[in-house]
Amino acid sequence: MAKVFLRKTRETRVRSGHPWIYLSEIEKVEGDFENGDVVDVYSCKNTYLGRAFYNPKSQIALRMLTLHDEPVDENFFRRRVQDAWAYRLRFADPNSCRLIFSESDFLPGLIVDKFADVL
């Protein structure tokens, strides 16, 4: 997995929970990757900050998925979708709602609307 290192002092927003890291905030990338890969994110002092989707062709180059050292696999996404659904059941009409609302549900870049049994 590739490692992305941020410029000096650029980790503050990440530590406070902001889900985006801009291309201009990246110092260097080590390792091979393809656009859209999950990468590890580090501060300039080599401190682990989390995992993110990486797209160097976007101004929002990193979209944080987790601040923890955990696998980003099928179970990871299954838990996130289940958490989003459980939340919607508390506040929304389960037959017609926005099931997944991107960064608000910790699934950056993904929006899913539900209309009856169609997603």
Side-chain angles (χ1 to χ4, degrees), residues 101-117:
F101 198 14
S102 198
E103 282 82 359
S104 296
D105 289 314
F106 307 104
L107 290 165
L110 180 63
I111 294 176
V112 178
D113 292 326
K114 181 180 185 305
F115 300 101
D117 60 351

mmCIF file of all heavy atoms in Angstrom, residues 101-117:
data_model
loop_
_atom_site.group_PDB
_atom_site.id
_atom_site.type_symbol
_atom_site.label_atom_id
_atom_site.label_comp_id
_atom_site.label_asym_id
_atom_site.label_seq_id
_atom_site.Cartn_x
_atom_site.Cartn_y
_atom_site.Cartn_z
ATOM 1 N N PHE A 101 -24.994 9.289 2.580
ATOM 2 C CA PHE A 101 -24.772 10.694 2.270
ATOM 3 C C PHE A 101 -23.292 11.047 2.412
ATOM 4 O O PHE A 101 -22.874 11.836 3.248
ATOM 5 C CB PHE A 101 -25.634 11.558 3.186
ATOM 6 C CG PHE A 101 -25.832 12.965 2.697
ATOM 7 C CD1 PHE A 101 -25.538 13.348 1.408
ATOM 8 C CD2 PHE A 101 -26.334 13.915 3.554
ATOM 9 C CE1 PHE A 101 -25.727 14.646 0.969
ATOM 10 C CE2 PHE A 101 -26.532 15.221 3.135
ATOM 11 C CZ PHE A 101 -26.224 15.579 1.849
ATOM 12 N N SER A 102 -22.476 10.358 1.617
ATOM 13 C CA SER A 102 -21.072 10.668 1.414
ATOM 14 C C SER A 102 -20.289 10.825 2.722
ATOM 15 O O SER A 102 -20.336 9.936 3.572
ATOM 16 C CB SER A 102 -20.968 11.906 0.523
ATOM 17 O OG SER A 102 -19.700 12.028 -0.043
ATOM 18 N N GLU A 103 -19.574 11.922 2.869
ATOM 19 C CA GLU A 103 -18.732 12.132 4.042
ATOM 20 C C GLU A 103 -19.525 12.097 5.341
ATOM 21 O O GLU A 103 -18.988 11.699 6.379
ATOM 22 C CB GLU A 103 -17.984 13.471 3.929
ATOM 23 C CG GLU A 103 -16.791 13.440 3.016
ATOM 24 C CD GLU A 103 -17.105 13.598 1.544
ATOM 25 O OE1 GLU A 103 -18.295 13.717 1.180
ATOM 26 O OE2 GLU A 103 -16.164 13.598 0.741
ATOM 27 N N SER A 104 -20.787 12.473 5.312
ATOM 28 C CA SER A 104 -21.605 12.439 6.532
ATOM 29 C C SER A 104 -21.744 11.032 7.084
ATOM 30 O O SER A 104 -21.941 10.848 8.281
ATOM 31 C CB SER A 104 -23.001 13.005 6.259
ATOM 32 O OG SER A 104 -22.911 14.354 5.910
ATOM 33 N N ASP A 105 -21.654 10.045 6.228
ATOM 34 C CA ASP A 105 -21.720 8.642 6.646
ATOM 35 C C ASP A 105 -20.353 7.963 6.571
ATOM 36 O O ASP A 105 -20.259 6.738 6.587
ATOM 37 C CB ASP A 105 -22.738 7.884 5.790
ATOM 38 C CG ASP A 105 -24.160 8.290 6.115
ATOM 39 O OD1 ASP A 105 -24.496 8.365 7.316
ATOM 40 O OD2 ASP A 105 -24.945 8.546 5.177
ATOM 41 N N PHE A 106 -19.309 8.756 6.491
ATOM 42 C CA PHE A 106 -17.932 8.249 6.451
ATOM 43 C C PHE A 106 -17.685 7.331 5.249
ATOM 44 O O PHE A 106 -16.893 6.399 5.327
ATOM 45 C CB PHE A 106 -17.584 7.551 7.767
ATOM 46 C CG PHE A 106 -17.852 8.416 8.965
ATOM 47 C CD1 PHE A 106 -18.957 8.190 9.765
ATOM 48 C CD2 PHE A 106 -17.015 9.482 9.263
ATOM 49 C CE1 PHE A 106 -19.219 9.008 10.858
ATOM 50 C CE2 PHE A 106 -17.268 10.294 10.360
ATOM 51 C CZ PHE A 106 -18.378 10.052 11.147
ATOM 52 N N LEU A 107 -18.359 7.646 4.152
ATOM 53 C CA LEU A 107 -18.158 6.961 2.870
ATOM 54 C C LEU A 107 -17.968 8.023 1.793
ATOM 55 O O LEU A 107 -18.858 8.286 0.989
ATOM 56 C CB LEU A 107 -19.362 6.059 2.549
ATOM 57 C CG LEU A 107 -19.491 4.827 3.436
ATOM 58 C CD1 LEU A 107 -20.860 4.202 3.300
ATOM 59 C CD2 LEU A 107 -18.400 3.829 3.099
ATOM 60 N N PRO A 108 -16.801 8.683 1.776
ATOM 61 C CA PRO A 108 -16.588 9.830 0.903
ATOM 62 C C PRO A 108 -16.808 9.519 -0.570
ATOM 63 O O PRO A 108 -16.355 8.503 -1.080
ATOM 64 C CB PRO A 108 -15.140 10.222 1.166
ATOM 65 C CG PRO A 108 -14.517 9.052 1.813
ATOM 66 C CD PRO A 108 -15.603 8.295 2.502
ATOM 67 N N GLY A 109 -17.554 10.416 -1.208
ATOM 68 C CA GLY A 109 -17.794 10.303 -2.639
ATOM 69 C C GLY A 109 -18.950 9.402 -3.015
ATOM 70 O O GLY A 109 -19.257 9.258 -4.199
ATOM 71 N N LEU A 110 -19.625 8.791 -2.038
ATOM 72 C CA LEU A 110 -20.717 7.866 -2.340
ATOM 73 C C LEU A 110 -22.044 8.423 -1.847
ATOM 74 O O LEU A 110 -22.190 8.770 -0.669
ATOM 75 C CB LEU A 110 -20.466 6.504 -1.672
ATOM 76 C CG LEU A 110 -21.538 5.439 -1.897
ATOM 77 C CD1 LEU A 110 -21.647 5.066 -3.377
ATOM 78 C CD2 LEU A 110 -21.245 4.209 -1.060
ATOM 79 N N ILE A 111 -22.997 8.512 -2.760
ATOM 80 C CA ILE A 111 -24.363 8.903 -2.412
ATOM 81 C C ILE A 111 -25.294 7.830 -2.945
ATOM 82 O O ILE A 111 -25.189 7.432 -4.110
ATOM 83 C CB ILE A 111 -24.727 10.279 -3.001
ATOM 84 C CG1 ILE A 111 -23.862 11.358 -2.348
ATOM 85 C CG2 ILE A 111 -26.212 10.571 -2.829
ATOM 86 C CD1 ILE A 111 -24.066 12.744 -2.903
ATOM 87 N N VAL A 112 -26.192 7.352 -2.069
ATOM 88 C CA VAL A 112 -27.167 6.331 -2.458
ATOM 89 C C VAL A 112 -28.534 6.776 -1.982
ATOM 90 O O VAL A 112 -28.736 7.022 -0.782
ATOM 91 C CB VAL A 112 -26.833 4.944 -1.848
ATOM 92 C CG1 VAL A 112 -27.892 3.927 -2.221
ATOM 93 C CG2 VAL A 112 -25.454 4.491 -2.269
ATOM 94 N N ASP A 113 -29.476 6.891 -2.899
ATOM 95 C CA ASP A 113 -30.858 7.202 -2.568
ATOM 96 C C ASP A 113 -31.684 5.927 -2.622
ATOM 97 O O ASP A 113 -31.427 5.035 -3.437
ATOM 98 C CB ASP A 113 -31.434 8.237 -3.532
ATOM 99 C CG ASP A 113 -30.789 9.597 -3.370
ATOM 100 O OD1 ASP A 113 -30.422 9.945 -2.215
ATOM 101 O OD2 ASP A 113 -30.661 10.315 -4.356
ATOM 102 N N LYS A 114 -32.699 5.844 -1.751
ATOM 103 C CA LYS A 114 -33.566 4.679 -1.693
ATOM 104 C C LYS A 114 -34.995 5.108 -1.990
ATOM 105 O O LYS A 114 -35.520 6.008 -1.341
ATOM 106 C CB LYS A 114 -33.488 4.021 -0.314
ATOM 107 C CG LYS A 114 -34.345 2.778 -0.158
ATOM 108 C CD LYS A 114 -34.201 2.202 1.222
ATOM 109 C CE LYS A 114 -34.943 0.901 1.389
ATOM 110 N NZ LYS A 114 -36.341 0.921 1.060
ATOM 111 N N PHE A 115 -35.608 4.479 -2.957
ATOM 112 C CA PHE A 115 -37.002 4.683 -3.303
ATOM 113 C C PHE A 115 -37.653 3.312 -3.325
ATOM 114 O O PHE A 115 -37.398 2.526 -4.235
ATOM 115 C CB PHE A 115 -37.145 5.383 -4.650
ATOM 116 C CG PHE A 115 -36.493 6.723 -4.681
ATOM 117 C CD1 PHE A 115 -35.254 6.887 -5.278
ATOM 118 C CD2 PHE A 115 -37.078 7.830 -4.093
ATOM 119 C CE1 PHE A 115 -34.617 8.119 -5.304
ATOM 120 C CE2 PHE A 115 -36.450 9.063 -4.107
ATOM 121 C CZ PHE A 115 -35.233 9.206 -4.722
ATOM 122 N N ALA A 116 -38.471 3.016 -2.295
ATOM 123 C CA ALA A 116 -39.068 1.696 -2.109
ATOM 124 C C ALA A 116 -37.946 0.656 -2.073
ATOM 125 O O ALA A 116 -37.068 0.748 -1.232
ATOM 126 C CB ALA A 116 -40.115 1.408 -3.168
ATOM 127 N N ASP A 117 -37.938 -0.282 -3.014
ATOM 128 C CA ASP A 117 -36.884 -1.303 -2.998
ATOM 129 C C ASP A 117 -35.829 -1.070 -4.076
ATOM 130 O O ASP A 117 -35.121 -1.987 -4.452
ATOM 131 C CB ASP A 117 -37.493 -2.705 -3.113
ATOM 132 C CG ASP A 117 -38.285 -2.890 -4.383
ATOM 133 O OD1 ASP A 117 -38.514 -1.904 -5.117
ATOM 134 O OD2 ASP A 117 -38.694 -4.041 -4.663
#
